[in-house]
Amino acid sequence: MISDLRQLADYRELLRTLVSKDIRSRYKGSVLGFAWNFVIPLLQLFVFWLLFGIIVKVAPPGDYPFAVFLFTGLLPWNFFANSVTGGAMSIIGNANLVKKIYFPLQILPTATVFSQFVSLLLGMIVLAIVVIAFGIGFGWQLLLLPIPFVVEMFFILGLVYFVACANVFYRDIEHILGIIIMAWMYLTPVLYPITILDGKPAWAQLAAHLNPMTGIINAYQVIILDHAMPDWKWLGYSAACAVVMFLVGFTVFNRYKFRFEEEV
């Protein structure tokens, strides 16, 4: 595994090129081009504000608009969902490269995840402007934000290596993955605060926290909006899941990557 990881570093220029190509091709031919990276988050925020703030008038979990709460959870969730669904197609979608050119194949799913991470960072710039505009401001806890970034990145990479490999042999994966991701979102506190489970049976609270994405999404919300420390116990659980997922996904990918050329 160490030598395979070292190969990623050796081919970092190719990785950088693939990430850049993915970002540029995403909005190729559109009028706004790269600006869509900023426009889409703003449009999402406007829709949330209109739906939950004006029409439904949902009470926010803290001293901030409910739309900002949703936006804060949706940005890292979109990073997760878009990386997994896009990463699942990374080997099949680059069949010509896989067959004709030798390079470490793990670069392909890695490039998909990194390009989505760039989108997350751009979305965070929009979120920072929104946080300032609504008078929420920033606390020193913002210095802790790289922790959920790293935990989420490792969890996503491991999962993407696994589904990218599985999709080469079982194409059903790409069809069912969207449904699984949608169901997963409703089980994660993206559209509702985790405090909604207060007073519920202990088994229900435990089941919600056993979802690795719960600790990650909640950490973003608490750090950015509440200016508080994340729940270290459950964020630590998510970090442990991320390490296990990365080891499993990377190992499975490396074991079967030699058969990709004949299967794509």
Side-chain angles (χ1 to χ4, degrees):
M1 175 177 282
I2 299 299
S3 61
D4 290 317
L5 290 173
R6 191 177 295 123
Q7 274 190 321
L8 282 177
D10 294 339
Y11 282 79
R12 57 185 176 278
E13 286 301 324
L14 175 59
L15 178 61
R16 188 178 297 118
T17 300
L18 289 174
V19 171
S20 175
K21 173 176 173 287
D22 188 72
I23 294 172
R24 283 187 280 107
S25 64
R26 197 176 303 159
Y27 303 112
K28 185 178 181 181
S30 63
V31 175
L32 295 182
F34 188 78
W36 276 114
N37 284 292
F38 297 98
V39 173
I40 288 178
L42 283 173
L43 290 176
Q44 287 178 327
L45 178 64
F46 175 75
V47 171
F48 293 152
W49 171 76
L50 190 63
L51 179 62
F52 295 101
I54 303 300
I55 299 176
V56 183
K57 296 183 177 178
V58 178
D63 192 21
Y64 38 76
F66 193 74
V68 178
F69 167 80
L70 284 178
F71 191 51
T72 305
L74 200 64
L75 283 177
W77 180 261
N78 285 344
F79 170 43
F80 170 77
N82 294 336
S83 295
V84 174
T85 53
M89 295 294 297
S90 58
I91 302 299
I92 299 295
N94 290 284
N96 288 335
L97 286 178
V98 174
K99 289 181 177 180
K100 295 179 180 178
I101 304 173
Y102 171 77
F103 62 97
L105 294 180
Q106 57 267 34
I107 280 184
L108 293 174
T110 304
T112 300
V113 176
F114 281 17
S115 71
Q116 291 298 335
F117 184 67
V118 172
S119 296
L120 171 65
L121 294 179
L122 295 174
M124 284 292 172
I125 294 174
V126 176
L127 177 59
I129 296 171
V130 170
V131 164
I132 294 172
F134 279 92
I136 300 170
F138 303 109
W140 68 266
Q141 294 83 359
L142 201 64
L143 298 173
L144 302 173
L145 199 56
I147 297 176
F149 272 147
V150 172
V151 174
E152 186 177 17
M153 174 67 82
F154 270 87
F155 184 69
I156 290 174
L157 280 171
L159 187 57
V160 166
Y161 289 136
F162 186 83
V163 295
C165 175
N167 195 44
V168 172
F169 302 99
Y170 306 101
R171 306 296 168 84
D172 309 78
I173 298 290
E174 64 191 69
H175 300 296
I176 195 66
L177 203 53
I179 303 298
I180 294 175
I181 294 295
M182 183 177 67
W184 198 337
M185 184 182 76
Y186 288 117
L187 297 173
T188 305
V190 177
L191 304 178
Y192 53 87
I194 190 65
T195 53
I196 200 173
L197 294 173
D198 291 348
K200 301 293 183 185
W203 66 264
Q205 297 184 36
L206 178 62
H209 282 102
L210 288 178
N211 170 6
M213 287 302 294
T214 294
I216 295 170
I217 297 295
N218 185 241
Y220 281 106
Q221 295 163 337
V222 168
I223 289 173
I224 296 173
L225 298 178
D226 297 332
H227 305 166
M229 303 284 275
D231 188 331
W232 292 113
K233 180 177 71 173
W234 290 113
L235 184 58
Y237 165 78
S238 297
C241 289
V243 172
V244 172
M245 190 71 249
F246 183 84
L247 292 175
V248 170
F250 200 78
T251 301
V252 169
F253 187 94
N254 280 338
R255 180 172 181 177
Y256 292 100
K257 67 182 180 183
F258 304 104
R259 294 175 52 191
F260 289 174
E261 185 177 344
E262 61 188 60
E263 295 288 342
V264 296

